[in-house]
């Protein structure tokens, strides 16, 4: 089954992700697929939370932190500015504290605490997570293509959905149990509503959002996750390991894309030994890939003569990938 057949035969898989180690072609394949789907009349949002702003590079336009930017008919690209999200997050927390406790001003100690907590990687993750949830629960597009950061990070992100879920389940349960007692106490004191109610409401809201997004990300009916590999020994080994881990997080793997395959036209020429050697080496690893991933390979993508940047180059690659097959 080719990448095109996967898209055409499973139109309900609207959340598309390309994962893999750094620099193998995740952004390139995300943009190429987005281009092709958009040219087939689908409304596509290609988005990323990568601070490296690779979508700006590939489309040769500054789209960082600007919301969904139209690239061509039916195609929008969005790069989330994670730092700004964190600042918004801090402001939101401050506002909630003010509302909840009726302060006019957040006390200095609490403000220091918020700033310190925001420097934690967990806070950054959580702000990013929230941004992704915001994007995917909107539901205005036919396809959401999530241009992932390199593998380790993506895995952490996915595992976090599960950890968060369990954690919030526990707290929610605890809160609900406590609330019964609080309610009795409050009624006795003739108080009406409790800050705890608001906290519980907040937790439930977060939990529902995380549930919704992790359900989407792990739902084989709606999500297609592709691994990008190249014909190299270490990459094949690492991909096998990663695929096993992803399976443990219930991520439905829709196949493998083999990128940077030296074009067969080269074979005919009278080649210098260096290139002949490289081709022979690729042949060997392509054999391993066929043995290992076999009928799960969705595409062999040729090594182009230059970087894939700008729409004309993306269009050429899309043609090679989706039309020539
Ligand atoms: N088939 C190809 N032919 C030629 N150049 C390619 C090909 N695939 C990718 N490249 C180039 O390789 C570089 C890395 O590709 P890309 O940015 O898509 O990788 P990535 O997996 O998204 O990287 P990162 O992990 O940093 O996000 C880019 O300069 C891209 O243009
Ligand atoms: Mg990338």
């Amino acid at each position: 089954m080719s990448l095109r057949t996967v898209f055409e035969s499973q139109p309900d898989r609207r959340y598309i992700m390309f994962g893999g180690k750094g620099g193998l072609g995740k952004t390139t394949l995300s943009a190429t697929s987005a281009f092709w789907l958009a040219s087939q009349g689908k409304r596509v949002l290609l988005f990323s939370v990568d601070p490296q702003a690779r979508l700006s590079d590939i489309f040769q336009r500054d789209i960082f932190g600007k919301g969904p930017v139209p690239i061509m008919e039916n195609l929008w690209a969005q790069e989330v500015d994670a730092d700004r999200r964190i600042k918004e997050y801090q402001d939101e927390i401050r506002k909630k504290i003010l509302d909840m406790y009726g302060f006019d001003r957040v006390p200095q100690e609490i403000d220091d605490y918020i700033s310190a907590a925001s420097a934690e990687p967990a806070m950054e993750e959580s702000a990013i997570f929230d941004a992704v949830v915001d994007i995917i629960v909107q539901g205005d597009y036919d396809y959401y293509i999530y241009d992932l950061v390199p593998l380790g990070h993506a895995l952490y992100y996915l595992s976090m959905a599960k950890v968060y879920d369990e954690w919030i389940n526990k707290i929610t349960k605890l809160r609900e149990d406590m609330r019964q007692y609080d309610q009795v106490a409050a009624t006795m004191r003739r108080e009406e509503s409790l800050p705890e109610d608001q906290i519980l409401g907040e937790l439930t809201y977060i939990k529902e959002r995380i549930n919704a997004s992790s359900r989407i990300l792990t739902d084989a009916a709606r999500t297609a996750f592709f691994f990008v590999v190249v014909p190299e020994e270490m990459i094949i080994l690492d991909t096998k390991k990663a695929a096993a881990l992803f399976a443990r997080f219930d991520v439905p793997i829709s196949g493998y894309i083999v990128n940077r395959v030296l074009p067969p036209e080269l074979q005919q020429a009278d080649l210098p030994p260096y290139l002949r050697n490289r081709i022979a080496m690729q042949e060997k690893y392509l054999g391993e890939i066929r043995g290992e991933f076999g009928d799960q390979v969705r595409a062999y993508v040729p090594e182009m003569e230059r970087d894939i940047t700008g729409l004309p180059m993306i269009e050429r690659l899309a043609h090679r990938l989706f039309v020539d097959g």
Side-chain angles (χ1 to χ4, degrees):
M1 211 196 274
S2 70
L3 189 56
R4 177 173 172 170
T5 330
V6 173
F7 287 146
E8 285 176 349
S9 65
Q10 293 154 353
D12 291 339
R13 296 196 177 171
R14 301 168 51 222
Y15 303 96
I16 314 289
M17 290 179 276
F18 292 90
K21 294 195 74 176
L24 301 187
K26 295 179 294 298
T27 303
T28 304
L29 282 157
S30 300
T32 306
S33 303
F35 177 94
W36 186 74
L37 288 165
S39 67
Q40 299 303 107
K42 307 291 183 197
R43 288 165 55 85
V44 182
L45 178 68
L46 169 60
F47 72 97
S48 146
V49 296
D50 190 346
Q52 308 284 351
R54 292 288 207 264
L55 296 181
S56 288
D57 293 342
I58 196 164
F59 292 120
Q60 300 176 316
R61 293 185 44 184
D62 178 19
I63 61 170
F64 190 72
K66 292 186 160 62
V69 175
I71 300 293
M72 60 182 239
E73 202 183 346
N74 294 322
L75 175 60
W76 288 261
Q78 179 172 4
E79 278 178 328
V80 172
D81 178 347
D83 285 340
R84 199 174 73 206
R85 284 295 294 210
I86 292 168
K87 288 200 189 76
E88 286 166 7
Y89 224 62
Q90 294 176 332
D91 290 344
E92 213 176 292
I93 294 172
R94 284 195 190 93
K95 188 174 170 304
K96 281 195 180 127
I97 289 174
L98 293 179
D99 291 350
M100 205 176 288
Y101 295 100
F103 296 141
D104 325 318
R105 200 180 63 75
V106 175
Q108 189 60 47
E109 313 87 88
I110 297 182
D111 208 56
D112 290 347
Y113 174 76
I114 293 171
S115 304
S118 306
E120 295 283 330
M123 179 72 123
E124 190 181 330
E125 291 298 330
S126 145
I128 290 175
F129 195 93
D130 220 49
V132 173
V133 174
D134 268 349
I135 290 173
I136 62 180
V137 298
Q138 277 164 20
D140 309 343
Y141 298 90
D142 296 323
Y143 282 92
Y144 293 83
I145 302 185
Y146 182 6
D147 177 27
L148 293 171
V149 289
L151 205 59
H153 201 91
L155 195 62
Y156 177 63
Y157 166 86
L158 285 162
S159 65
M160 211 182 67
K162 257 197 167 162
V163 172
Y164 250 116
D165 202 32
E166 280 164 24
W167 185 69
I168 287 176
N169 269 332
K170 273 189 199 135
I171 296 185
T172 310
K173 173 84 176 54
L174 201 71
R175 270 272 152 240
E176 263 161 10
D177 293 348
M178 297 276 292
R179 200 171 151 272
Q180 299 177 357
Y181 302 110
D182 284 350
Q183 205 61 56
V184 176
T187 316
M188 282 164 62
R189 291 197 302 267
R190 294 174 169 282
E191 285 168 14
E192 281 174 11
S193 123
L194 294 153
E196 277 75 5
D197 283 342
Q198 275 167 285
I199 295 172
L200 178 60
E202 186 69 21
L203 279 175
T204 311
Y205 172 73
I206 296 174
K207 186 178 117 117
E208 273 159 12
R209 279 163 62 91
I210 289 176
N211 277 348
S213 74
S214 65
R215 230 183 287 126
I216 289 170
L217 293 177
T218 56
D219 178 355
R222 286 190 288 171
T223 303
F225 186 98
F226 301 96
F227 269 109
V228 183
V229 294
V230 297
E232 279 173 32
E233 185 168 23
M234 281 307 157
I235 304 294
I236 299 172
L237 285 175
D238 288 350
T239 305
K240 272 162 58 183
K241 279 190 208 146
L245 266 173
F246 270 59
R248 273 198 7 225
F249 287 112
D250 307 324
V251 178
I253 296 166
S254 295
Y256 297 81
I257 314 285
V258 186
N259 192 14
R260 308 205 84 136
V261 179
L262 293 170
E265 304 89 271
L266 269 183
Q267 306 269 21
Q268 303 152 5
D270 187 14
L271 292 180
Y274 170 85
L275 262 181
R276 225 182 304 131
N277 229 17
R278 301 277 331 170
I279 292 176
M281 220 173 72
Q282 270 213 350
E283 280 300 325
K284 173 171 170 242
Y285 294 123
L286 285 171
E288 274 180 32
I289 286 173
R290 275 190 289 270
E292 198 61 53
F293 308 119
D295 62 351
Q296 302 218 82
V297 174
R298 304 290 170 236
Y300 291 92
V301 183
E303 168 92 45
M304 303 295 266
E305 75 283 4
R306 47 156 280 218
D307 281 357
I308 321 297
T309 43
L311 278 179
M313 196 64 194
I314 294 171
E315 182 172 13
R316 270 187 56 203
L317 190 61
H319 203 271
R320 293 285 297 255
L321 198 54
F322 291 99
V323 184
D324 300 344

